[in-house]
Amino acid sequence: AKDRFYLIALELQSVITAIRRGKLKLSRARFTFEANSLGWAQAWEIRQLITALREEKVKTYAYLLSDDRITMFMASACDYVACPESATFDLSPFTSESLFVQNLLNRLGVRPQFLSVGEFKSAAEIFTRTGMSKAARRQTEELIADIEKNFYDALGQKSPEFAAAGRRDLLSANEALQQKLIDTVSAYSEFKEFTEKEAKLKTADLFDAQNIARRRMYPLF
């Protein structure tokens, strides 16, 4: 959830900092992605933190309980990605919809009064127009194109086969496996068993790992 995102980002960054300073040894990191309400900027930040873990030689694993685009974008940073057989990934081109209520307001006898300063100040257009202005359409198209490019580039880094095929449609879990966007199709219990197969490794959740790192970085306190 969005209110949880900030804590997760801070905890991950604390763990990464402790690894870089030699205060914490981490062999593996396991992420379980559930349905979430994150935006693209927040997803990008989580993805960057996972990438930073990999740069510190931490093996990263992801299980997708959610199969939306933002989740796929974040998980693509992991070394190993698993999902249930029921997953379906929407990899079709990005689109955007805008709502305009000027006609409705006219019927109600409401006359909106807004002042816009600048060509690209289009926030009031929902009330004052029946369609996008050229400036609003341009900035929306550029934003969508930028998000779309970052999304497909991220998946292409995970799977050069997907990048070469250029598919832009729905993929079942097995098709995603063939495209090497994911590494296995399995139940969550099988995924946990796989990531815990070495008994010598001690396990801790993110909060506990952060506490260990804090105690080692600030022993006087």
Side-chain angles (χ1 to χ4, degrees):
K2 287 185 177 180
D3 60 346
R4 181 70 182 136
F5 157 77
Y6 302 102
L7 292 176
I8 291 175
L10 288 172
E11 289 167 358
L12 269 176
Q13 187 59 65
S14 296
V15 168
I16 293 168
T17 300
I19 294 172
R20 289 172 176 169
R21 294 182 180 179
K23 301 297 183 179
L24 186 68
K25 291 183 179 181
L26 189 64
S27 173
R28 300 176 179 179
R30 181 175 66 201
F31 299 89
T32 302
F33 291 95
E34 299 179 351
N36 59 80
S37 57
L38 299 183
W40 284 103
Q42 293 168 318
W44 179 86
E45 187 164 346
I46 293 293
R47 193 178 192 281
Q48 290 296 102
L49 289 168
I50 295 174
T51 301
L53 278 175
R54 291 182 63 182
E55 291 173 352
E56 298 303 321
K57 311 301 181 185
V58 178
K59 190 77 171 178
T60 52
Y61 300 81
Y63 192 85
L64 307 183
L65 291 175
S66 175
D67 53 10
D68 60 273
R69 289 174 173 176
I70 284 182
T71 298
M72 191 67 176
F73 175 73
M74 291 186 288
S76 66
C78 293
D79 296 292
Y80 187 91
V81 181
C83 72
E85 191 174 2
S86 59
T88 301
F89 302 101
D90 181 6
L91 304 182
S92 58
F94 284 44
T95 60
S96 176
E97 294 182 357
S98 298
L99 176 69
F100 297 90
V101 297
Q102 185 192 46
N103 288 336
L104 173 62
L105 295 179
N106 287 341
R107 292 187 179 187
L108 295 175
V110 177
R111 186 177 179 181
Q113 296 180 346
F114 292 94
L115 178 64
S116 296
V117 181
E119 183 181 6
F120 291 92
K121 301 296 184 180
S122 56
E125 288 186 1
I126 181 177
F127 305 106
T128 60
R129 296 178 60 93
T130 58
M132 281 186 173
S133 64
K134 290 183 179 180
R137 182 176 296 278
R138 176 184 168 188
Q139 67 182 0
T140 300
E141 288 177 348
E142 289 183 1
L143 174 63
I144 294 300
D146 187 55
I147 294 174
E148 185 179 67
K149 182 180 184 304
N150 278 278
F151 176 72
Y152 290 126
D153 285 351
L155 298 193
Q157 293 172 15
K158 171 67 177 174
S159 169
E161 290 82 359
F162 171 77
R167 291 193 61 172
R168 300 292 184 266
D169 53 4
L170 295 176
L171 267 66
S172 67
N174 288 324
E175 288 175 323
L177 180 61
Q178 292 172 2
Q179 293 282 317
K180 297 186 178 180
L181 286 172
I182 61 173
D183 297 281
T184 190
V185 175
S186 69
Y188 186 58
S189 57
E190 295 172 329
F191 169 74
K192 288 186 66 178
E193 183 179 353
F194 172 75
T195 57
E196 297 173 358
K197 62 182 180 181
E198 291 187 15
K200 294 181 180 179
L201 294 177
K202 294 182 179 180
T203 61
D205 62 24
L206 185 56
F207 180 75
D208 288 336
Q210 182 196 29
N211 285 337
I212 295 170
R214 185 185 293 114
R215 288 197 298 270
R216 292 179 178 176
M217 291 179 68
Y218 307 105
L220 292 179
F221 295 96

